[in-house]
Amino acid sequence: MVLYKLEDFEPNYRDAFEGHDINGLGVYTQGTDEKIGTVSDVLVDDEGHFRYLVVDLGFWIFGKKVLLPIGRARIDYDVDRVYTIGLTREQAEDLPEFNERQTLDYDYEERVRGVYRQPIDNTLPVDTSAALDPLAAPVASLGATPTSARDDYSYEREPSLFGLNEQDHQTLRLYEERLIASKRRQKTGEVSIGKRVETETARVAVPIERERVVIERVTPADAGTAVSGREADFREGEVARLEIHEETADIRKEAFLREEVRVRKVVDQDTVETQETVRREELDVNSGNLPIEER
């Protein structure tokens, strides 16, 4: 079965542990409180189930990393510790070294499991929540090699190594995904507003006045009447002088305010709907013939 690093399988795994991070927790032997190393990683299967803790045995064996089956570990977040169940120094020395660059195949895991199957003095916790199935394959004892073949090996067949015992793991959290809507502001364009000058021919009519001389000759009523020599004034030269005027159009240009242009932005409200597939965990209870009460 293919195994993955927890962070590669689920980058946000810390959210499921309320911000706790199992990486970096100290590893201690149960009962003696002797520190044997530090958790450097977690390996999960393709369904996300914890299978191994990667333990750096720097406090026991310098520079060596080994795998600790999850069933042999008890995580206590109250003191930020991981307690091993039945791991001795001799077993740690016999464990094959874990190398991230090497592929974890069935043979390697069998070497690891073979070390932990050796008899130990500690009493291992039993998964009492599992149903009793008379047809099920027998679980391998601590000192025996499981009879399952390479192709159909299942971690569930060895609950002493990979089972989450009832005593240390009493809370099962079910998670669901929800769509969280947020908004981000982005530029969609730009509007530039300026002025340009256009020319056109304008016409205006201006009334003007011109003076001209009108000479009228009329016959007086007493024409033909003789006058005395003093009245008859015979002379040559100018008789009358008149000044003649006319108006001309005086055109000039003046600038006047025609209109104002006010530029502003308005916000239009709209609702955008989207859909996405979300996941939700449901509880599956396999109790066999045992009565179960759900509250």
Side-chain angles (χ1 to χ4, degrees):
M1 182 176 292
V2 180
L3 297 177
Y4 308 89
K5 289 185 179 180
L6 177 59
E7 189 164 10
D8 294 338
F9 184 85
E10 177 51 63
N12 298 323
Y13 72 90
R14 295 174 183 83
D15 297 340
F17 294 94
E18 297 182 348
H20 293 291
D21 192 351
I22 191 172
N23 290 340
L25 295 184
V27 182
Y28 295 78
T29 57
Q30 183 171 271
T32 63
D33 276 356
E34 179 183 9
K35 187 168 185 178
I36 64 174
T38 305
V39 176
S40 64
D41 223 321
V42 181
L43 301 182
V44 300
D45 60 19
D46 52 8
E47 294 181 353
H49 298 143
F50 281 30
R51 294 309 181 192
Y52 297 99
L53 301 182
V54 180
V55 181
D56 186 345
L57 298 177
F59 286 82
W60 261 6
I61 307 173
F62 179 76
K64 184 176 183 179
K65 291 183 179 180
V66 298
L67 297 185
L68 175 66
I70 192 63
R72 291 294 183 90
R74 182 173 66 85
I75 304 172
D76 191 342
Y77 284 114
D78 292 335
V79 293
D80 289 336
R81 286 186 176 187
V82 175
Y83 291 99
T84 65
I85 303 174
L87 178 63
T88 64
R89 181 186 290 269
E90 290 74 18
Q91 285 178 319
E93 292 175 349
D94 293 338
L95 284 169
E97 184 173 359
F98 172 75
N99 191 334
E100 297 180 358
R101 293 184 294 270
Q102 294 180 355
T103 303
L104 297 183
D105 55 13
Y106 175 84
D107 294 332
Y108 176 84
E109 286 193 69
E110 269 299 294
R111 291 171 56 197
V112 174
R113 291 189 288 258
V115 174
Y116 287 103
R117 290 182 188 125
Q118 299 173 11
I120 55 176
D121 296 334
N122 301 67
T123 301
L124 296 179
V126 178
D127 188 358
T128 59
S129 63
L132 297 177
D133 187 354
L135 300 179
V139 177
S141 64
L142 295 179
T145 302
T147 59
S148 59
R150 174 190 300 266
D151 296 334
D152 62 352
Y153 177 82
S154 173
Y155 294 111
E156 283 70 20
R157 293 188 179 183
E158 295 189 90
S160 62
L161 297 183
F162 302 103
L164 300 180
N165 61 81
E166 182 179 321
Q167 177 182 355
D168 297 328
H169 303 275
Q170 298 180 353
T171 301
L172 179 63
R173 294 175 178 173
L174 303 180
Y175 297 91
E176 68 177 10
E177 294 177 328
R178 298 179 181 178
L179 294 182
I180 306 299
S182 61
K183 298 185 295 184
R184 59 186 178 90
R185 189 179 182 90
Q186 62 181 10
K187 182 178 178 180
T188 58
E190 186 176 85
V191 177
S192 298
I193 300 175
K195 299 190 298 182
R196 70 177 186 275
V197 178
E198 294 185 350
T199 60
E200 64 179 3
T201 300
R203 290 179 172 83
V204 63
V206 180
I208 59 175
E209 294 181 350
R210 293 188 180 92
E211 294 179 343
R212 59 190 177 88
V213 176
V214 179
I215 301 176
E216 295 182 353
R217 292 185 177 187
V218 299
T219 302
D222 57 350
T225 305
V227 296
S228 64
R230 289 179 302 179
E231 291 178 348
D233 186 8
F234 293 95
R235 60 180 177 178
E236 294 182 359
E238 184 177 323
V239 176
R241 180 184 293 271
L242 297 177
E243 292 184 355
I244 307 301
H245 301 87
E246 70 172 10
E247 295 176 334
T248 58
D250 183 13
I251 306 300
R252 70 180 189 279
K253 294 185 290 186
E254 291 185 3
F256 295 85
L257 178 63
R258 181 166 61 93
E259 66 178 354
E260 288 183 349
V261 177
R262 298 179 181 177
V263 180
R264 60 190 179 93
K265 295 190 297 184
V266 296
V267 178
D268 295 328
Q269 300 291 338
D270 195 7
T271 301
V272 177
E273 293 185 0
T274 184
Q275 63 181 17
E276 185 59 71
T277 301
V278 296
R279 298 175 295 175
R280 181 175 61 187
E281 294 178 339
E282 296 290 349
L283 186 64
D284 289 333
V285 180
N286 183 8
S287 61
N289 297 325
L290 298 178
I292 296 295
E293 178 183 356
E294 293 188 21
R295 298 183 178 179

